[in-house]
Amino acid sequence: MKLFIGYATSEGQTRKIARHIADRVVDAGHAVELAPLADAADVDLTRFDGAVLGGSLHAGQYQKVLSEFAADHVTALAAMPTLFLSVSLAAAGHDAEDWRALDKILADFQDATGWVPGQVAQVAGAYMPSEYDVFRRFVMRRIIAAKDPEADLDWDHEYTDWDGLDALVDGWVETLGS
Ligand SMILES: Cc1cc2nc3c(=O)[nH]c(=O)nc-3n(C[C@H](O)[C@H](O)[C@H](O)COP(=O)(O)O)c2cc1C
């Protein structure tokens, strides 16, 4: 099986997730093309048996490059098995309002791009003060302090559930063979 894995990232966590998945899929004996979506606008998706696209949320929006890629390649994406990784900090918690917001953002993304992913995974991302500018650090400290009172606000913290992600990807890859 040959898979395309494309990602958009602002602080690097979605890239780390995409690389992790690529390694896992390759270790399972498949071929992978891994690319930042910014460099993949002209990719011919019909060369692949499936596609994984990932992006992260910032102020309730995915990266523009992800939306543009999905809209530009919607015909090919609709004709192949696809998995969408939506990376956010809302997905790290159990707040019903946050999860409703994730559903709404996903629905808006689907409406805007026309792409309805075969499977969607809401993946918990990371708090990365080492990567933030002063404004982002201020905003994110307040959000994390409210959501995770135990967190040490001075240090990067990963909320990604790697084992859960592995199980999800393995399950999706299995469906490709059937
Ligand atoms: C300025 C800023 C805004 C963010 N806005 C949201 C948001 O609206 N909803 C959310 O769930 N997470 C939000 N996050 C958290 C990111 O989605 C999370 O840190 C993710 O891991 C970033 O992935 P990336 O490093 O691949 O860009 C925000 C993070 C930053 C720095």
Side-chain angles (χ1 to χ4, degrees):
M1 215 88 70
K2 189 170 168 185
L3 302 183
F4 175 76
I5 301 178
Y7 63 88
T9 187
S10 299
E11 286 92 38
Q13 190 66 12
T14 309
R15 177 173 54 237
K16 186 172 178 180
I17 288 167
R19 284 179 177 157
H20 177 91
I21 292 174
D23 284 347
R24 189 158 183 93
V25 170
V26 167
D27 287 350
H30 304 292
V32 166
E33 185 167 323
L34 173 69
L37 291 174
D39 293 340
D42 61 351
V43 70
D44 176 5
L45 288 177
T46 63
R47 295 191 290 119
F48 299 93
D49 302 300
V52 179
L53 298 188
S56 60
L57 280 183
H58 288 77
Q61 306 266 344
Y62 299 112
Q63 287 83 2
K64 193 167 165 223
V65 69
L66 168 66
S67 305
E68 286 176 353
F69 183 93
D72 289 349
H73 294 271
V74 67
T75 306
L77 288 167
M80 69 200 304
T82 56
L83 170 62
F84 176 43
L85 305 171
S86 163
V87 178
S88 70
L89 281 177
H94 300 283
D95 185 316
E97 200 179 313
D98 281 356
W99 280 88
R100 271 196 297 278
L102 289 177
D103 288 344
K104 166 88 168 71
I105 291 163
L106 176 66
D108 290 348
F109 171 76
Q110 292 183 169
D111 284 350
T113 61
W115 177 44
V116 180
Q119 188 174 336
V120 175
Q122 297 286 359
V123 180
Y127 168 68
M128 307 279 276
S130 68
E131 301 290 325
Y132 301 153
D133 58 23
V134 173
F135 172 71
R136 287 178 172 214
R137 198 169 302 148
F138 176 74
V139 172
M140 294 307 292
R141 277 179 81 94
R142 292 188 59 169
I143 292 173
I144 294 295
K147 300 270 178 217
D148 183 1
E150 310 274 289
D152 183 338
L153 300 176
D154 294 329
W155 295 95
D156 293 359
H157 182 79
E158 239 176 23
Y159 292 89
T160 309
D161 169 6
W162 297 104
D163 291 341
L165 186 67
D166 286 348
L168 180 126
V169 169
D170 291 354
W172 180 74
V173 170
E174 259 174 42
T175 66
L176 302 185
S178 56

